[in-house]
Amino acid sequence: KHSFMRLLRIGEKSMRSLQNHVYDGTTPQRKINNLEPYWRKRYKEVIKPPLDAFFEESLYPSAKKHPKHSDVHELDSDWSKRKVYGYYCETMGYEVLTDSSGRTTLEPIKDYNGGAERQEVCSWTSFLRYWAKEHPKLLVSSKPTAAGGSNNSIGSVREKKRKAAKMEGGGGPYLSKMPFNV
């Protein structure tokens, strides 16, 4: 009996309860905790309502509909998700500061709305999770491409070098250095 308790890591009270259920022929009922976790309740009551209002009142009016997909909205290419987060923090009364190592801190804005009370701001990761979950159809449009190039600057440089090498040698960079024509 005691080795069984030790293996299952249960105490005497739990063991007695299990024995009573065995003797009575009943199955033990697990207690269900109906309490909502504090963090979820705080998210629903404190953090989510201002985020909902910010997205509906500030972002969606400035976003345009995607040309191919009617249910997708796009922000201009001069926006980024990081800039949107900074704008959100400004509307809540905070300024986002970034140090040289990339860490962000929130500083209260002095004289925010003439002394109005600042609201609580979510973290950067919570902001991204909210955006991905609640507004997956709101996108930041990619940077416009220059004269048929690609968005990837490294890839476009490589492509230009390849084209230049083919133009110079006729048969690619290796065949042009051969002493005879193949």
Side-chain angles (χ1 to χ4, degrees):
K1 170 176 156 180
H2 294 288
S3 59
F4 178 70
M5 289 170 48
R6 187 112 171 125
L7 280 173
L8 294 178
R9 296 182 180 169
I10 57 174
E12 284 188 43
K13 274 186 167 181
S14 299
M15 188 63 186
R16 260 190 262 124
S17 174
L18 289 172
Q19 283 178 337
N20 289 339
H21 282 291
V22 168
Y23 295 142
D24 295 342
T26 60
T27 37
Q29 294 294 321
R30 186 170 179 236
K31 290 182 183 177
I32 298 174
N33 188 0
N34 289 334
L35 296 175
E36 189 174 32
Y38 169 74
W39 58 268
R40 187 177 298 146
K41 185 177 180 182
R42 186 174 155 269
Y43 173 78
K44 285 182 179 177
E45 293 176 0
V46 176
I47 298 203
K48 191 173 184 280
L51 275 171
D52 287 338
F54 172 75
F55 271 78
E56 293 301 323
E57 295 169 7
S58 299
L59 286 187
Y60 276 107
S62 63
K64 58 185 175 207
K65 290 202 180 245
H66 192 274
K68 295 179 183 173
H69 307 288
S70 61
D71 57 340
V72 176
H73 290 79
E74 279 188 329
L75 291 170
D76 288 335
S77 60
D78 56 337
W79 283 97
S80 67
K81 288 187 178 183
R82 184 69 80 165
K83 280 185 182 178
V84 171
Y85 178 68
Y87 181 56
Y88 161 70
C89 290
E90 274 184 28
T91 60
M92 302 300 274
Y94 293 92
E95 182 180 7
V96 179
L97 302 175
T98 306
D99 62 4
S100 60
S101 64
R103 288 180 294 205
T104 58
T105 56
L106 297 174
E107 291 289 323
I109 297 174
K110 293 178 183 170
D111 299 328
Y112 169 70
N113 282 348
E117 188 175 327
R118 290 177 189 82
Q119 296 181 3
E120 191 170 344
V121 177
C122 67
S123 67
W124 167 239
T125 53
S126 297
F127 183 79
L128 287 179
R129 284 183 191 141
Y130 170 82
W131 191 325
K133 183 180 177 188
E134 301 289 332
H135 302 281
K137 306 267 181 170
L138 179 64
L139 307 174
V140 177
S141 66
S142 59
K143 303 276 184 214
T145 59
S150 79
N151 288 340
N152 185 356
S153 61
I154 294 171
S156 61
V157 169
R158 286 183 185 155
E159 191 62 34
K160 286 177 186 175
K161 285 182 180 178
R162 281 190 201 127
K163 285 181 183 177
K166 281 184 181 179
M167 296 298 281
E168 286 175 8
Y174 300 111
L175 291 178
S176 62
K177 294 178 183 171
M178 295 181 121
F180 57 91
N181 287 336
V182 178

